[in-house]
Amino acid sequence: MEGRGDERPLGRGTAGGLRDLAHRPPERLALHQRAGCADWDAAAPPLTGAGAKPPAAADAYATALAVDPQDHGLRKGLGGAVFRMLRGTRWLALLCPVIAALAGRTFPTGDDPTALPGPLGIRLYALALMAAVWGFGAWCRCRAMRSGVRMSLWSLLRRVGWARLIVGQAAWCTLTAVVIVTVPWSERIVPQALFWAALVPTLLAVWFERAAIRT
């Protein structure tokens, strides 16, 4: 018989909530019993061991929940898989300021390190590259999500503050990258400040998150 402590909402307490979200047990037996179909057979290998892939795990949990929508353990497992997917989008966002800094000559590099602004063609190429990063890395994945996974994503964003922080940091990194690469800067101090303002808080949040999960 489960105690009341087993039904705590996701994200109750920062460190404890992060540990719960990141380390949901796969509940492989329960999933197999509830989702005995081809979807489970395809998703079961990635759900086992250290190489578990969050999209496959989320899809398997959603399949199981379609059979037993009231199972709290499966709901928690789906929330944990979706949370890990959100964490992955932050690394896509961190690529954008790096691309923008290189294209906009934010830091002195190359044969002519003082020439500002950077060439317009290179900066436009950087914008296209950032769009490709998000397009192939996030949009295609979201488009392939099952409806149950999408619903869990929106529910997680409404209930868990840390999930909203992850989305905010991803948006902030992308916005600062766009500003760095689109404005024809004549001095480096502002784009450099924007670059570090995007990277440092996000990397600190990643460090804190991993430390909270380990403990």
Side-chain angles (χ1 to χ4, degrees), residues 35-63:
C37 59
D39 287 342
W40 163 254
D41 293 334
L47 282 174
T48 60
K53 295 181 179 180
D59 187 73
Y61 278 118
T63 300

Side-chain angles (χ1 to χ4, degrees), residues 129-154:
L129 187 58
M130 287 188 285
V133 166
W134 276 112
F136 290 103
W139 182 76
C140 290
R141 177 182 294 180
C142 292
R143 186 181 62 174
M145 281 183 182
R146 297 168 60 99
S147 59
V149 179
R150 291 196 188 98
M151 291 175 61
S152 178
L153 173 61
W154 292 116

Side-chain angles (χ1 to χ4, degrees), residues 152-176:
S152 178
L153 173 61
W154 292 116
S155 175
L156 191 71
L157 290 174
R158 287 194 301 268
R159 293 181 292 111
V160 183
W162 196 267
R164 293 193 295 272
L165 176 65
I166 291 174
V167 173
Q169 287 178 331
W172 169 245
C173 287
T174 306
L175 177 62
T176 54

Side-chain angles (χ1 to χ4, degrees), residues 11 31 144:
L31 281 170

Side-chain angles (χ1 to χ4, degrees), residues 5 12 14 23 26 35 41 65 111 114 139-140 152 162 197 201-202 208:
R12 183 70 60 82
T14 303
H23 288 158
D41 293 334
L65 278 169
D111 298 331
T114 60
W139 182 76
C140 290
S152 178
W162 196 267
T202 305
F208 173 79

